[in-house]
């Protein structure tokens, strides 16, 4: 998957959150109330971001949602989970302040963060 395809996938994820079922507030809330709470809270806080595995991404989002999103973007579920494993910690970290997700974040802001994550992966 090249950078352009990744940006298209990100655009689809964030511009149509309701249709895609990819809502950062919902993801954070679900994680905070489950076994991944400490991991996600580290992304929201000012300290070091704890890592998340591809399996934990699937657990957090749900296997059906990951499979549906992967199918929509023409990748397999494992590849999508791997991409999100690398993107979600930094994305949520940059999209938050004082331990909370910013309310006025636009899809353009999200795409900028997604692009930055991939450009910095080097």
């Amino acid at each position: 998957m090249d950078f352009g395809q990744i940006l298209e996938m990100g655009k689809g994820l964030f511009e149509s959150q309701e249709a895609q079922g990819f809502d950062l507030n919902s993801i954070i809330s679900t994680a905070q109330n489950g076994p991944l709470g400490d991991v996600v809270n580290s992304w929201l806080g000012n300290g070091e971001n704890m890592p998340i595995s591809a399996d934990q991404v699937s657990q957090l989002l749900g296997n059906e949602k990951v499979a549906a999103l992967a199918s929509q973007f023409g990748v397999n579920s494992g590849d999508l989970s791997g991409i999100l494993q690398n993107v979600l910690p930094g994305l949520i970290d940059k999209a938050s302040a004082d331990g909370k997700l910013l309310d006025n974040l636009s899809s353009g802001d999200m795409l900028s963060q997604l692009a930055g994550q991939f450009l910095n992966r080097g």
Side-chain angles (χ1 to χ4, degrees):
M1 179 176 282
D2 67 25
F3 185 71
Q5 290 171 307
I6 291 167
L7 282 180
E8 274 304 305
M9 182 178 70
K11 184 177 178 181
L13 287 173
F14 297 120
E15 286 189 346
S16 179
Q17 288 181 6
E18 306 308 2
Q20 306 305 328
F22 195 88
D23 174 19
L24 288 182
N25 283 311
S26 176
I27 291 169
I28 290 167
S29 176
T30 298
Q32 288 176 321
N33 293 313
L36 296 174
D38 289 342
V39 173
V40 171
N41 284 332
S42 78
W43 305 343
L44 293 168
N46 295 329
E48 184 118 2
N49 291 336
M50 293 174 65
I52 187 169
S53 71
D55 287 340
Q56 288 172 317
V57 168
S58 294
Q59 175 188 352
L60 181 60
L61 300 178
N63 290 326
E64 289 179 13
K65 189 179 294 182
V66 170
L69 289 169
S71 175
Q72 178 181 351
F73 296 111
V75 297
N76 68 47
S77 295
D79 287 346
L80 179 65
S81 293
I83 291 166
L84 293 175
Q85 153 192 15
N86 292 315
V87 171
L88 278 177
L91 178 69
I92 292 175
D93 182 54
K94 300 254 190 290
S96 63
D98 299 322
K100 296 182 181 175
L101 199 60
L102 301 173
D103 289 334
N104 60 350
L105 210 60
S106 71
S107 63
D109 294 330
M110 297 283 202
L111 286 173
S112 173
Q113 297 301 329
L114 179 69
Q117 289 300 310
F118 281 97
L119 289 172
N120 292 329
R121 285 177 62 189

